[in-house]
Amino acid sequence: AQKITQTQPGMFVQEKEAVTLDCTYDTSDPSYGLFWYKQPSSGEMIFLIYQGSYDQQNATEGRYSLNFQKARKSANLVISASQLGDSAMYFCAMREGTKYGNKLVFGAGTILRVKS
Amino acid sequence: KAGVTQTPRYLIKTRGQQVTLSCSPISGHRSVSWYQQTPGQGLQFLFEYFSETQRNKGNFPGRFSGRQFSNSRSEMNVSTLELGDSALYLCASSLELGLNTEAFFGQGTRLTVV
């Protein structure tokens, strides 16, 4: 079974508008962490935001926020005021406890294109 | 502060050859993980090293191996290369082991097997 599911292969958004990238996850471990990464065409993975399974509030980092709905096992990324430089591939990833070390399991990714 | 450095950036190898990729983590980081990224399989975990010990290994054949040195630099080796090994290989370094520990990635080594 897929651990991380990103159902949107590609998304378009108008510059300055907000966009939501979907992510659902599957785990039976009560302790887990959820990450979002951005990968521009250069290939480097850039960390955006983290949400822990025990965190009571949704994580926010500048223009990025994570809409964490634990009961629905979803961790959607919201990018506000989109910029042309936000065009990239976005990956949702999960770390299940620490028994697997720092291993991250990634979703298939969503390509985001920001239109001017 | 220097980021994660992967060398070389690009490689072209012939089937049957072997290859060694290098990763220098951020200074002070003790955990190094390797991932393979392909269009078909996406990002897949290869292995992780922490303080020179392999902590975890992904579901890859024994042709894929790695090691970590006392200065935390890591190498991964792929022997008897196959066409399907063509991929972007990403290295990630982390300060320590932990649920919320951020992984910092290098720019990757793009391997092409012909």
Side-chain angles (χ1 to χ4, degrees):
Chain A
Q2 291 282 354
K3 294 261 186 185
I4 298 285
T5 302
Q6 294 181 253
T7 57
Q8 307 152 313
M11 291 279 286
F12 283 96
V13 65
Q14 196 66 38
E15 193 179 9
K16 298 181 185 176
E17 292 186 349
V19 63
T20 297
L21 306 183
D22 295 341
C23 173
T24 58
Y25 59 92
D26 182 29
T27 181
S28 57
D29 197 320
S31 181
Y32 54 89
L34 297 159
F35 300 76
W36 276 92
Y37 282 87
K38 171 184 177 182
Q39 186 179 41
S41 55
S42 61
E44 184 178 0
M45 300 282 280
I46 301 167
F47 167 77
L48 296 178
I49 198 166
Y50 166 83
Q51 180 86 43
S53 59
Y54 296 116
D55 292 343
Q56 295 296 313
Q57 294 188 315
N58 288 339
T60 60
E61 289 283 351
R63 293 187 300 111
Y64 305 106
S65 61
L66 202 151
N67 184 0
F68 182 47
Q69 298 188 41
K70 194 170 182 177
R72 299 176 66 177
K73 294 190 174 180
S74 75
N76 298 338
L77 176 71
V78 180
I79 305 175
S80 63
S82 296
Q83 303 171 355
L84 295 177
D86 293 335
S87 293
M89 181 75 110
Y90 288 81
F91 290 97
C92 179
M94 177 172 65
R95 179 177 292 147
E96 292 178 285
T98 56
K99 56 185 178 290
Y100 303 118
N102 285 343
K103 172 185 174 181
L104 287 168
V105 177
F106 287 86
T110 297
I111 300 175
L112 177 66
R113 290 287 179 253
V114 181
K115 300 184 290 184
S116 59
Chain B
K1 193 175 187 180
V4 179
T5 304
Q6 290 188 246
T7 57
R9 290 291 311 281
Y10 302 92
L11 264 180
I12 300 176
K13 289 287 189 178
T14 305
R15 269 183 304 175
Q17 287 187 314
Q18 75 164 18
V19 67
T20 299
L21 311 183
S22 178
C23 172
S24 292
I26 293 171
S27 178
H29 285 201
R30 295 188 293 165
S31 166
V32 174
S33 301
W34 289 89
Y35 294 84
Q36 181 197 64
Q37 185 177 22
T38 60
Q41 299 297 317
L43 276 152
Q44 293 186 287
F45 173 78
L46 280 157
F47 27 66
E48 178 187 15
Y49 288 87
F50 183 81
S51 293
E52 301 180 68
T53 301
Q54 187 179 83
R55 287 274 307 181
N56 197 5
K57 190 177 192 303
N59 189 25
F60 278 82
R63 300 185 297 106
F64 291 81
S65 63
R67 59 178 175 169
Q68 186 179 33
F69 301 96
S70 58
N71 62 357
S72 293
R73 190 177 71 85
S74 177
E75 289 182 346
M76 68 163 280
N77 185 78
V78 188
S79 62
T80 320
L81 283 165
E82 300 177 0
L83 295 179
D85 297 333
S86 295
L88 178 66
Y89 290 87
L90 290 162
C91 164
S93 86
S94 299
L95 181 62
E96 57 194 12
L97 296 177
L99 187 63
N100 62 346
T101 298
E102 185 179 336
F104 295 85
F105 284 80
Q107 289 193 295
T109 294
R110 189 166 294 280
L111 171 66
T112 302
V113 182
V114 297

